[in-house]
Amino acid sequence: MVATITRFFTIEEGEPTMTLATRPRGTNDILPADAELWLELEEKIRRVCHAYGFGEIRTPIFEHTELFQRGIGDTTDIVEKEMYTFTDRGERSLTLRPEGTAPVVRAFLENKLGSGPLPVKLYYYGPMFRYERPQSGRYRQFTQFGFEILGSDDPLLDAESIALPLELYEACGLDGFEVEINSIGCPECRPAYRAALVDYFEPQRDKLCQSCQSRLDRNPLRLLDCKVKGCQPIIASAPTISEYLCADCTDHFSQVLSYLDVLEISYNVNPRLVRGFDYYTRTVFEVKYAALGAQDAIGAGGRYDGLVEECGGQPTPAVGFAVGVERLLLALKAQDKLGESKKSPLAYLIHFGGETKLEAARVAHYFRKRGIWVEMDYMDRSMRAQMKAANRLASRYVLIFGEEELAAGQVLVRNMGDGQQELKDLQQLDELITALGACEK
Ligand code: HAM
């Protein structure tokens, strides 16, 4: 296998040679320097969610398979081809969650969250699993930040479901993304559109790709989402949903667009936008960042007014969105908006073994108990090598625990910025901390 390192994620080409030191295809290791960037992003997510009044929900990584079969839909690509499904030792069929909406709806019902004030606003963050063909921006384990608003059909919430992720993208410094929006109608008006699609595509069946031919029988709306070149001219002339929307859906959609205008959010209405889940009703949307190439959706969502009922609850309208975190990081990287992690230790403690190491260990412990990052040598390295290590870490000070200084109860403090050196008293460590200008946590 050829693996190209792209700072964040590896792109795998060809079949991997399995060794014990090879991670499964389509997964990523996040190493410490990058983990800092993930943490910063998570911090921003929490801040944005807080401003919109969301509470966090954490659901299990796996659920009963039936939840996804019923929720996402039997004829969707995810359920047909992409789920990690297994039978546990108790003969139950379980599935690693491929997305977060169905699990949140399940938790909403199971925990009776609908009995309190509505709407209920929940957000989540964590790994999702889909058996897809890995490529840049498409992984088998990936991370979503998502949120769901349950209990209201207010079109303002559709607009806010777009506003919130845009706040996040902007807080990260990203620009140049585009919002696409459409209404795919409701169970009242969609059957007529479905019939119109079948009438249109059926006479041209032979010219469609194999997948489209099967979609035509099972889920004709999904045909509009086909990426195969040969199908494009046929799809381009297909009837659009806008002509078939019922009065309520038309009104809902025009209100959503009015709210987007009020919130000064630009969008393109894309009448061919359909989504790969059966639960959507009315508004669907996607945010694209073109520079990512084939996998350009950095987030997507929509309204799903029938899902709660489908899962056994009372009719409860709902809307939500999910951001692909890896793709957002790739987009930020493409714009050079990621920067390097700037963290460095306050001090590197240089010792010469024996008593000097004991004292350095005591002082390091004292600093660390106060939340201050200090480093020391564990490899019995020479002073020169320890200085090099301090430089590599961009440590602001080095504390040199020489035998003579130690005998006088002192340590030599060197400011790595200006090279100034000064002896400091080891009995007065709080004063030393103040002198080094570290703020305690
Ligand atoms: P989705 O479009 O399947 O929607 O996923 C949302 C986002 O997750 C995508 O736009 C993309 O950024 C990211 N994503 C999806 N698959 C992958 C993958 N294999 N590798 C990397 N990133 C990926 C949902 O999952 C819906 N549950 C969203 C939603 C929430 N609708 C209503 N509420």
mmCIF file of all heavy atoms in Angstrom, residues 78 98-101 124 130 132 137-140 142 144 147-148 275 277 279-280 297-302 304 319-324 326-327, ligand 1:
data_model
loop_
_atom_site.group_PDB
_atom_site.id
_atom_site.type_symbol
_atom_site.label_atom_id
_atom_site.label_comp_id
_atom_site.label_asym_id
_atom_site.label_seq_id
_atom_site.Cartn_x
_atom_site.Cartn_y
_atom_site.Cartn_z
ATOM 1 N N ILE A 78 -26.406 3.717 2.680
ATOM 2 C CA ILE A 78 -25.831 3.466 4.013
ATOM 3 C C ILE A 78 -26.311 2.122 4.545
ATOM 4 O O ILE A 78 -25.514 1.290 4.970
ATOM 5 C CB ILE A 78 -26.182 4.614 4.991
ATOM 6 C CG1 ILE A 78 -25.481 5.903 4.554
ATOM 7 C CG2 ILE A 78 -25.811 4.242 6.424
ATOM 8 C CD1 ILE A 78 -25.649 7.072 5.481
ATOM 9 N N PRO A 98 -23.735 4.789 11.986
ATOM 10 C CA PRO A 98 -23.219 5.457 10.785
ATOM 11 C C PRO A 98 -23.527 6.947 10.793
ATOM 12 O O PRO A 98 -23.009 7.696 9.967
ATOM 13 C CB PRO A 98 -23.982 4.763 9.649
ATOM 14 C CG PRO A 98 -25.232 4.262 10.273
ATOM 15 C CD PRO A 98 -24.983 4.056 11.739
ATOM 16 N N GLU A 99 -24.379 7.377 11.711
ATOM 17 C CA GLU A 99 -24.759 8.794 11.806
ATOM 18 C C GLU A 99 -25.405 9.009 13.172
ATOM 19 O O GLU A 99 -25.646 8.035 13.912
ATOM 20 C CB GLU A 99 -25.726 9.161 10.675
ATOM 21 C CG GLU A 99 -27.006 8.361 10.635
ATOM 22 C CD GLU A 99 -28.202 9.129 11.164
ATOM 23 O OE1 GLU A 99 -28.386 10.279 10.762
ATOM 24 O OE2 GLU A 99 -28.949 8.574 12.006
ATOM 25 N N GLY A 100 -25.708 10.273 13.501
ATOM 26 C CA GLY A 100 -26.157 10.546 14.861
ATOM 27 C C GLY A 100 -27.626 10.884 15.028
ATOM 28 O O GLY A 100 -28.122 10.928 16.166
ATOM 29 N N THR A 101 -28.344 11.103 13.931
ATOM 30 C CA THR A 101 -29.730 11.575 14.071
ATOM 31 C C THR A 101 -30.652 10.498 14.651
ATOM 32 O O THR A 101 -31.385 10.759 15.615
ATOM 33 C CB THR A 101 -30.263 12.058 12.695
ATOM 34 O OG1 THR A 101 -29.312 12.974 12.164
ATOM 35 C CG2 THR A 101 -31.604 12.730 12.828
ATOM 36 N N TYR A 124 -24.140 16.751 19.581
ATOM 37 C CA TYR A 124 -23.282 15.592 19.840
ATOM 38 C C TYR A 124 -21.997 15.738 19.052
ATOM 39 O O TYR A 124 -21.913 16.491 18.076
ATOM 40 C CB TYR A 124 -23.993 14.277 19.475
ATOM 41 C CG TYR A 124 -24.626 14.289 18.111
ATOM 42 C CD1 TYR A 124 -23.935 13.837 16.991
ATOM 43 C CD2 TYR A 124 -25.926 14.764 17.940
ATOM 44 C CE1 TYR A 124 -24.516 13.870 15.728
ATOM 45 C CE2 TYR A 124 -26.511 14.794 16.671
ATOM 46 C CZ TYR A 124 -25.799 14.353 15.584
ATOM 47 O OH TYR A 124 -26.370 14.408 14.334
ATOM 48 N N ARG A 130 -18.784 4.153 8.586
ATOM 49 C CA ARG A 130 -19.436 3.744 7.327
ATOM 50 C C ARG A 130 -18.411 2.989 6.490
ATOM 51 O O ARG A 130 -17.281 3.464 6.331
ATOM 52 C CB ARG A 130 -19.930 4.967 6.530
ATOM 53 C CG ARG A 130 -21.027 5.730 7.243
ATOM 54 C CD ARG A 130 -21.560 6.877 6.406
ATOM 55 N NE ARG A 130 -22.341 7.773 7.261
ATOM 56 C CZ ARG A 130 -22.840 8.932 6.869
ATOM 57 N NH1 ARG A 130 -22.670 9.335 5.626
ATOM 58 N NH2 ARG A 130 -23.534 9.692 7.706
ATOM 59 N N GLU A 132 -17.212 2.738 3.519
ATOM 60 C CA GLU A 132 -17.159 3.413 2.215
ATOM 61 C C GLU A 132 -15.781 3.203 1.629
ATOM 62 O O GLU A 132 -14.850 2.806 2.327
ATOM 63 C CB GLU A 132 -17.401 4.908 2.395
ATOM 64 C CG GLU A 132 -18.808 5.223 2.865
ATOM 65 C CD GLU A 132 -19.136 6.702 2.735
ATOM 66 O OE1 GLU A 132 -19.552 7.099 1.640
ATOM 67 O OE2 GLU A 132 -18.966 7.446 3.709
ATOM 68 N N GLY A 137 -10.810 12.790 2.550
ATOM 69 C CA GLY A 137 -12.082 13.347 3.016
ATOM 70 C C GLY A 137 -13.183 12.316 3.200
ATOM 71 O O GLY A 137 -14.273 12.655 3.634
ATOM 72 N N ARG A 138 -12.896 11.055 2.867
ATOM 73 C CA ARG A 138 -13.911 10.020 3.091
ATOM 74 C C ARG A 138 -13.261 8.855 3.816
ATOM 75 O O ARG A 138 -12.349 8.210 3.291
ATOM 76 C CB ARG A 138 -14.514 9.569 1.766
ATOM 77 C CG ARG A 138 -15.688 8.617 1.978
ATOM 78 C CD ARG A 138 -16.512 8.431 0.746
ATOM 79 N NE ARG A 138 -15.759 7.710 -0.264
ATOM 80 C CZ ARG A 138 -16.129 7.619 -1.538
ATOM 81 N NH1 ARG A 138 -17.232 8.190 -1.961
ATOM 82 N NH2 ARG A 138 -15.402 6.949 -2.396
ATOM 83 N N TYR A 139 -13.731 8.601 5.003
ATOM 84 C CA TYR A 139 -13.106 7.596 5.866
ATOM 85 C C TYR A 139 -14.158 6.602 6.351
ATOM 86 O O TYR A 139 -15.348 6.848 6.242
ATOM 87 C CB TYR A 139 -12.424 8.296 7.060
ATOM 88 C CG TYR A 139 -11.558 9.437 6.592
ATOM 89 C CD1 TYR A 139 -11.971 10.762 6.730
ATOM 90 C CD2 TYR A 139 -10.374 9.179 5.902
ATOM 91 C CE1 TYR A 139 -11.206 11.799 6.226
ATOM 92 C CE2 TYR A 139 -9.609 10.205 5.396
ATOM 93 C CZ TYR A 139 -10.028 11.517 5.557
ATOM 94 O OH TYR A 139 -9.293 12.532 5.041
ATOM 95 N N ARG A 140 -13.665 5.515 6.914
ATOM 96 C CA ARG A 140 -14.602 4.522 7.452
ATOM 97 C C ARG A 140 -14.936 4.839 8.905
ATOM 98 O O ARG A 140 -16.022 4.519 9.367
ATOM 99 C CB ARG A 140 -14.012 3.124 7.295
ATOM 100 C CG ARG A 140 -14.003 2.750 5.822
ATOM 101 C CD ARG A 140 -13.500 1.369 5.538
ATOM 102 N NE ARG A 140 -13.661 1.107 4.113
ATOM 103 C CZ ARG A 140 -13.143 0.085 3.475
ATOM 104 N NH1 ARG A 140 -12.420 -0.807 4.149
ATOM 105 N NH2 ARG A 140 -13.341 -0.058 2.194
ATOM 106 N N PHE A 142 -15.100 8.330 10.966
ATOM 107 C CA PHE A 142 -14.935 9.778 10.857
ATOM 108 C C PHE A 142 -15.684 10.428 12.009
ATOM 109 O O PHE A 142 -16.419 9.759 12.738
ATOM 110 C CB PHE A 142 -15.439 10.287 9.495
ATOM 111 C CG PHE A 142 -16.895 9.981 9.233
ATOM 112 C CD1 PHE A 142 -17.869 10.941 9.451
ATOM 113 C CD2 PHE A 142 -17.281 8.733 8.779
ATOM 114 C CE1 PHE A 142 -19.217 10.660 9.226
ATOM 115 C CE2 PHE A 142 -18.629 8.444 8.554
ATOM 116 C CZ PHE A 142 -19.585 9.412 8.778
ATOM 117 N N GLN A 144 -18.214 13.376 13.551
ATOM 118 C CA GLN A 144 -19.242 14.379 13.265
ATOM 119 C C GLN A 144 -19.514 15.212 14.506
ATOM 120 O O GLN A 144 -19.574 14.695 15.627
ATOM 121 C CB GLN A 144 -20.567 13.709 12.875
ATOM 122 C CG GLN A 144 -20.682 13.357 11.417
ATOM 123 C CD GLN A 144 -22.080 12.871 11.051
ATOM 124 O OE1 GLN A 144 -22.945 12.669 11.912
ATOM 125 N NE2 GLN A 144 -22.313 12.668 9.766
ATOM 126 N N PHE A 147 -26.163 18.376 15.487
ATOM 127 C CA PHE A 147 -27.164 18.829 16.468
ATOM 128 C C PHE A 147 -28.555 18.568 15.914
ATOM 129 O O PHE A 147 -28.745 18.482 14.691
ATOM 130 C CB PHE A 147 -26.974 20.313 16.816
ATOM 131 C CG PHE A 147 -27.090 21.229 15.632
ATOM 132 C CD1 PHE A 147 -28.334 21.693 15.213
ATOM 133 C CD2 PHE A 147 -25.962 21.609 14.930
ATOM 134 C CE1 PHE A 147 -28.444 22.526 14.109
ATOM 135 C CE2 PHE A 147 -26.071 22.444 13.826
ATOM 136 C CZ PHE A 147 -27.318 22.908 13.414
ATOM 137 N N GLU A 148 -29.512 18.425 16.823
ATOM 138 C CA GLU A 148 -30.887 18.134 16.437
ATOM 139 C C GLU A 148 -31.810 19.018 17.276
ATOM 140 O O GLU A 148 -31.559 19.226 18.459
ATOM 141 C CB GLU A 148 -31.225 16.650 16.713
ATOM 142 C CG GLU A 148 -30.178 15.635 16.235
ATOM 143 C CD GLU A 148 -29.968 15.582 14.724
ATOM 144 O OE1 GLU A 148 -30.842 16.077 13.981
ATOM 145 O OE2 GLU A 148 -28.911 15.064 14.291
ATOM 146 N N ARG A 275 -31.025 13.953 -0.432
ATOM 147 C CA ARG A 275 -30.047 13.463 0.532
ATOM 148 C C ARG A 275 -30.169 11.955 0.671
ATOM 149 O O ARG A 275 -31.201 11.384 0.343
ATOM 150 C CB ARG A 275 -30.256 14.169 1.866
ATOM 151 C CG ARG A 275 -30.209 15.690 1.735
ATOM 152 C CD ARG A 275 -28.933 16.302 2.212
ATOM 153 N NE ARG A 275 -28.603 15.863 3.545
ATOM 154 C CZ ARG A 275 -27.483 15.219 3.872
ATOM 155 N NH1 ARG A 275 -26.597 14.922 2.971
ATOM 156 N NH2 ARG A 275 -27.261 14.864 5.120
ATOM 157 N N PHE A 277 -30.767 9.877 2.897
ATOM 158 C CA PHE A 277 -31.504 9.302 4.032
ATOM 159 C C PHE A 277 -33.000 9.414 3.738
ATOM 160 O O PHE A 277 -33.434 10.435 3.219
ATOM 161 C CB PHE A 277 -31.239 10.101 5.319
ATOM 162 C CG PHE A 277 -29.797 10.154 5.727
ATOM 163 C CD1 PHE A 277 -28.954 11.113 5.204
ATOM 164 C CD2 PHE A 277 -29.284 9.246 6.635
ATOM 165 C CE1 PHE A 277 -27.625 11.170 5.573
ATOM 166 C CE2 PHE A 277 -27.956 9.297 7.019
ATOM 167 C CZ PHE A 277 -27.122 10.261 6.479
ATOM 168 N N TYR A 279 -35.295 9.691 5.944
ATOM 169 C CA TYR A 279 -36.079 10.398 6.964
ATOM 170 C C TYR A 279 -36.370 11.859 6.647
ATOM 171 O O TYR A 279 -37.195 12.486 7.284
ATOM 172 C CB TYR A 279 -35.451 10.266 8.357
ATOM 173 C CG TYR A 279 -33.992 10.622 8.564
ATOM 174 C CD1 TYR A 279 -33.494 11.897 8.297
ATOM 175 C CD2 TYR A 279 -33.120 9.677 9.109
ATOM 176 C CE1 TYR A 279 -32.163 12.217 8.540
ATOM 177 C CE2 TYR A 279 -31.785 9.987 9.355
ATOM 178 C CZ TYR A 279 -31.320 11.256 9.069
ATOM 179 O OH TYR A 279 -30.010 11.578 9.331
ATOM 180 N N TYR A 280 -35.714 12.416 5.628
ATOM 181 C CA TYR A 280 -35.901 13.845 5.392
ATOM 182 C C TYR A 280 -37.278 14.193 4.826
ATOM 183 O O TYR A 280 -37.840 13.450 4.037
ATOM 184 C CB TYR A 280 -34.832 14.389 4.447
ATOM 185 C CG TYR A 280 -33.477 14.498 5.104
ATOM 186 C CD1 TYR A 280 -32.383 13.806 4.613
ATOM 187 C CD2 TYR A 280 -33.296 15.300 6.227
ATOM 188 C CE1 TYR A 280 -31.136 13.907 5.214
ATOM 189 C CE2 TYR A 280 -32.056 15.408 6.837
ATOM 190 C CZ TYR A 280 -30.987 14.707 6.331
ATOM 191 O OH TYR A 280 -29.761 14.811 6.931
ATOM 192 N N ALA A 297 -18.602 18.169 0.643
ATOM 193 C CA ALA A 297 -19.613 18.567 1.636
ATOM 194 C C ALA A 297 -18.965 18.632 3.019
ATOM 195 O O ALA A 297 -18.500 17.622 3.542
ATOM 196 C CB ALA A 297 -20.767 17.586 1.634
ATOM 197 N N ILE A 298 -18.913 19.826 3.583
ATOM 198 C CA ILE A 298 -18.319 19.942 4.931
ATOM 199 C C ILE A 298 -19.400 19.878 6.005
ATOM 200 O O ILE A 298 -19.120 19.968 7.187
ATOM 201 C CB ILE A 298 -17.454 21.221 5.089
ATOM 202 C CG1 ILE A 298 -18.222 22.471 4.650
ATOM 203 C CG2 ILE A 298 -16.162 21.091 4.303
ATOM 204 C CD1 ILE A 298 -17.463 23.773 4.935
ATOM 205 N N GLY A 299 -20.633 19.715 5.570
ATOM 206 C CA GLY A 299 -21.723 19.544 6.520
ATOM 207 C C GLY A 299 -23.032 19.481 5.763
ATOM 208 O O GLY A 299 -23.123 19.949 4.630
ATOM 209 N N ALA A 300 -24.029 18.875 6.407
ATOM 210 C CA ALA A 300 -25.315 18.730 5.730
ATOM 211 C C ALA A 300 -26.403 18.415 6.749
ATOM 212 O O ALA A 300 -26.116 17.965 7.864
ATOM 213 C CB ALA A 300 -25.229 17.601 4.701
ATOM 214 N N GLY A 301 -27.626 18.658 6.344
ATOM 215 C CA GLY A 301 -28.716 18.355 7.267
ATOM 216 C C GLY A 301 -30.057 18.571 6.627
ATOM 217 O O GLY A 301 -30.170 18.678 5.397
ATOM 218 N N GLY A 302 -31.065 18.667 7.487
ATOM 219 C CA GLY A 302 -32.390 18.894 6.966
ATOM 220 C C GLY A 302 -33.456 18.604 8.009
ATOM 221 O O GLY A 302 -33.158 18.268 9.161
ATOM 222 N N TYR A 304 -36.742 16.541 9.409
ATOM 223 C CA TYR A 304 -37.202 15.141 9.381
ATOM 224 C C TYR A 304 -38.428 15.018 10.286
ATOM 225 O O TYR A 304 -38.370 14.499 11.381
ATOM 226 C CB TYR A 304 -36.058 14.184 9.764
ATOM 227 C CG TYR A 304 -35.321 14.536 11.037
ATOM 228 C CD1 TYR A 304 -35.669 13.967 12.257
ATOM 229 C CD2 TYR A 304 -34.281 15.458 11.033
ATOM 230 C CE1 TYR A 304 -35.002 14.295 13.423
ATOM 231 C CE2 TYR A 304 -33.610 15.789 12.192
ATOM 232 C CZ TYR A 304 -33.976 15.204 13.386
ATOM 233 O OH TYR A 304 -33.323 15.548 14.537
ATOM 234 N N VAL A 319 -35.481 19.061 13.093
ATOM 235 C CA VAL A 319 -34.523 19.492 12.074
ATOM 236 C C VAL A 319 -33.126 19.412 12.674
ATOM 237 O O VAL A 319 -32.971 19.513 13.899
ATOM 238 C CB VAL A 319 -34.877 20.932 11.582
ATOM 239 C CG1 VAL A 319 -34.795 21.960 12.706
ATOM 240 C CG2 VAL A 319 -34.030 21.367 10.402
ATOM 241 N N GLY A 320 -32.119 19.193 11.836
ATOM 242 C CA GLY A 320 -30.756 19.095 12.372
ATOM 243 C C GLY A 320 -29.706 19.176 11.284
ATOM 244 O O GLY A 320 -30.013 19.344 10.093
ATOM 245 N N PHE A 321 -28.472 19.038 11.725
ATOM 246 C CA PHE A 321 -27.326 19.241 10.828
ATOM 247 C C PHE A 321 -26.146 18.468 11.390
ATOM 248 O O PHE A 321 -26.048 18.267 12.598
ATOM 249 C CB PHE A 321 -26.989 20.739 10.805
ATOM 250 C CG PHE A 321 -26.011 21.142 9.734
ATOM 251 C CD1 PHE A 321 -26.470 21.635 8.526
ATOM 252 C CD2 PHE A 321 -24.636 21.048 9.929
ATOM 253 C CE1 PHE A 321 -25.582 22.024 7.527
ATOM 254 C CE2 PHE A 321 -23.738 21.432 8.941
ATOM 255 C CZ PHE A 321 -24.221 21.928 7.727
ATOM 256 N N ALA A 322 -25.231 18.031 10.530
ATOM 257 C CA ALA A 322 -23.971 17.449 11.025
ATOM 258 C C ALA A 322 -22.795 17.940 10.187
ATOM 259 O O ALA A 322 -22.873 18.005 8.961
ATOM 260 C CB ALA A 322 -24.033 15.925 11.004
ATOM 261 N N VAL A 323 -21.738 18.290 10.897
ATOM 262 C CA VAL A 323 -20.498 18.767 10.273
ATOM 263 C C VAL A 323 -19.501 17.610 10.253
ATOM 264 O O VAL A 323 -19.332 16.928 11.265
ATOM 265 C CB VAL A 323 -19.895 19.913 11.129
ATOM 266 C CG1 VAL A 323 -18.510 20.303 10.636
ATOM 267 C CG2 VAL A 323 -20.821 21.114 11.164
ATOM 268 N N GLY A 324 -18.843 17.390 9.122
ATOM 269 C CA GLY A 324 -17.767 16.403 9.067
ATOM 270 C C GLY A 324 -16.482 17.069 9.565
ATOM 271 O O GLY A 324 -15.958 17.967 8.913
ATOM 272 N N GLU A 326 -13.324 16.009 10.089
ATOM 273 C CA GLU A 326 -12.086 15.840 9.309
ATOM 274 C C GLU A 326 -12.116 16.742 8.076
ATOM 275 O O GLU A 326 -11.118 17.371 7.735
ATOM 276 C CB GLU A 326 -11.905 14.384 8.851
ATOM 277 C CG GLU A 326 -11.516 13.407 9.948
ATOM 278 C CD GLU A 326 -12.702 12.904 10.750
ATOM 279 O OE1 GLU A 326 -13.838 13.379 10.520
ATOM 280 O OE2 GLU A 326 -12.503 12.033 11.617
ATOM 281 N N ARG A 327 -13.292 16.794 7.425
ATOM 282 C CA ARG A 327 -13.380 17.631 6.211
ATOM 283 C C ARG A 327 -13.241 19.102 6.546
ATOM 284 O O ARG A 327 -12.638 19.861 5.783
ATOM 285 C CB ARG A 327 -14.716 17.391 5.505
ATOM 286 C CG ARG A 327 -14.716 16.054 4.827
ATOM 287 C CD ARG A 327 -15.884 15.932 3.894
ATOM 288 N NE ARG A 327 -16.120 14.525 3.625
ATOM 289 C CZ ARG A 327 -17.163 14.058 2.982
ATOM 290 N NH1 ARG A 327 -18.078 14.890 2.543
ATOM 291 N NH2 ARG A 327 -17.297 12.764 2.775
HETATM 292 P P1 HAM B 1 -24.383 13.178 6.121
HETATM 293 O O1 HAM B 1 -24.517 14.073 4.944
HETATM 294 O O2 HAM B 1 -24.361 11.741 5.854
HETATM 295 O O3 HAM B 1 -25.582 13.560 7.090
HETATM 296 O O4 HAM B 1 -23.101 13.539 6.941
HETATM 297 C C1 HAM B 1 -22.851 14.859 7.385
HETATM 298 C C2 HAM B 1 -21.410 15.223 7.105
HETATM 299 O O5 HAM B 1 -20.532 14.243 7.657
HETATM 300 C C3 HAM B 1 -21.050 15.259 5.631
HETATM 301 O O6 HAM B 1 -21.422 16.477 5.034
HETATM 302 C C4 HAM B 1 -19.545 15.099 5.688
HETATM 303 O O7 HAM B 1 -18.946 16.341 6.006
HETATM 304 C C5 HAM B 1 -19.363 14.146 6.863
HETATM 305 N N1 HAM B 1 -19.185 12.758 6.388
HETATM 306 C C6 HAM B 1 -20.126 11.902 5.975
HETATM 307 N N2 HAM B 1 -19.577 10.723 5.620
HETATM 308 C C7 HAM B 1 -18.241 10.845 5.798
HETATM 309 C C8 HAM B 1 -17.113 9.970 5.616
HETATM 310 N N3 HAM B 1 -17.258 8.715 5.193
HETATM 311 N N4 HAM B 1 -15.882 10.453 5.902
HETATM 312 C C9 HAM B 1 -15.710 11.718 6.346
HETATM 313 N N5 HAM B 1 -16.732 12.572 6.561
HETATM 314 C C10 HAM B 1 -17.988 12.148 6.286
HETATM 315 C C11 HAM B 1 -25.817 12.940 8.281
HETATM 316 O O8 HAM B 1 -25.068 12.157 8.805
HETATM 317 C C12 HAM B 1 -27.113 13.404 8.944
HETATM 318 N N6 HAM B 1 -27.281 12.635 10.194
HETATM 319 C C13 HAM B 1 -27.059 14.892 9.214
HETATM 320 C C14 HAM B 1 -28.278 15.391 9.916
HETATM 321 C C15 HAM B 1 -28.358 15.723 11.216
HETATM 322 N N7 HAM B 1 -29.460 15.535 9.377
HETATM 323 C C16 HAM B 1 -30.303 15.967 10.310
HETATM 324 N N8 HAM B 1 -29.653 16.058 11.436
#
